[in-house]
Amino acid sequence: GIVSSAHWLTWVMIGITVAMSFMFLFVNSPERFIAFLSCWLQFICYLGVINSFAGAPNIWKAKTFAGSLIWLLGGYLCITGLVYLWKQLKDQILVDTIDFKIGTLKKAPIIGCSFAILLVATLGCPGFINSLGLFLLAGSMLQFGFIPALITGISYIFVIIGCYRILNIILGESSSTPPLCDIKLPQIILTFAIIIPILALGIFPNLMLSWYMPSTSAISELIQITLVK
């Protein structure tokens, strides 16, 4: 079962995650970038879940399992916002291939700033919900081994580089920058409705952990019992 094969499955997931992270170095389309980022978030979650079954049982196994789900929950809240904001931009740009800087920082600052906030939140920047999941997953990888943690960290660096390139396209300005209009009040309210929970749960994690951890305790105990057997 998964317990007996968890060790080598963890290495497989590390390999897949690192291989996929190379794609971020070459993606210039925000639409494709968001799609790759969505897949990368899932692979990191799967890596954490599988790793929670590997090795001797301890308290970090339960925390890793919980952290993986927090990471995925926070990540997909961010992805939802990124997809929505990109849709607002794409409806104005009317092209699929981006070979210019869009220039939202000056022409559509609410879109640009919201996109940047959601992007750094996705990566687990402190103060956002994903930072909690990232901390738990990082601790789990260090317990699995320094080399696996280092390799996974390299994957994370590649994604950060990709985020910088995409932000440069979204926020930067060039001679071919198209005319843009910022989002209106209804769209602003919807965007803030996504950002506020991500920020609030990052600053006050107990708002979620107070009910989330008890709800996952049964799963965590099951993991511990399975590992002992």
Side-chain angles (χ1 to χ4, degrees):
I2 189 172
V3 175
S4 60
S5 57
H7 188 85
W8 67 265
L9 279 176
T10 300
W11 277 105
V12 169
M13 290 305 303
I14 291 173
I16 293 174
T17 302
V18 174
M20 184 174 186
S21 66
F22 277 100
M23 301 296 296
F24 289 93
L25 300 177
F26 307 102
V27 175
N28 291 322
S29 166
E31 187 170 347
R32 292 181 180 179
F33 175 84
I34 294 172
F36 281 124
L37 187 61
S38 174
C39 294
W40 181 76
L41 287 170
Q42 289 192 59
F43 283 127
I44 292 293
C45 175
Y46 298 155
L47 173 60
V49 170
I50 293 173
N51 192 31
S52 66
F53 287 90
N58 55 58
I59 189 61
W60 274 104
K61 301 302 179 183
K63 291 183 177 180
T64 300
F65 191 90
S68 301
L69 300 182
I70 292 173
W71 169 266
L72 194 63
L73 172 63
Y76 271 93
L77 278 173
C78 296
I79 290 293
T80 301
L82 291 172
V83 170
Y84 178 72
L85 291 172
W86 173 243
K87 178 65 167 55
Q88 302 303 312
L89 286 175
K90 190 174 180 181
D91 287 346
Q92 299 183 57
I93 298 171
L94 300 177
V95 295
D96 293 322
T97 303
I98 304 296
D99 56 359
F100 52 84
K101 295 180 180 179
I102 299 174
T104 59
L105 191 59
K106 289 186 177 180
K107 298 187 176 183
I110 298 177
I111 294 179
C113 292
S114 299
F115 196 96
I117 289 170
L118 288 169
L119 200 54
V120 298
T122 305
L123 296 177
C125 179
F128 298 97
I129 181 175
N130 260 22
S131 60
L132 180 60
L134 180 63
F135 171 76
L136 294 173
L137 288 171
S140 169
M141 289 308 301
L142 285 171
Q143 281 214 332
F144 186 72
F146 176 76
I147 299 299
L150 180 62
I151 295 173
T152 307
I154 293 173
S155 165
Y156 188 78
I157 291 172
F158 288 158
V159 178
I160 291 176
I161 294 173
C163 287
Y164 173 80
R165 296 176 72 245
I166 291 300
L167 278 180
N168 190 37
I169 293 174
I170 295 291
L171 302 179
E173 192 170 8
S174 63
S175 57
S176 56
T177 297
L180 293 174
C181 294
D182 217 336
I183 53 178
K184 306 302 181 183
L185 183 59
Q187 291 83 11
I188 292 174
I189 293 174
L190 182 56
T191 302
F192 280 11
I194 297 173
I195 293 177
I196 289 175
I198 295 170
L199 183 60
L201 293 175
I203 298 175
F204 306 105
N206 282 338
L207 292 175
M208 180 182 66
L209 294 181
S210 60
W211 57 266
Y212 177 80
M213 293 303 290
S215 67
T216 57
S217 61
I219 301 176
S220 302
E221 292 173 4
L222 179 61
I223 292 173
Q224 296 284 349
I225 294 172
T226 305
L227 287 171
V228 170
K229 290 182 179 181

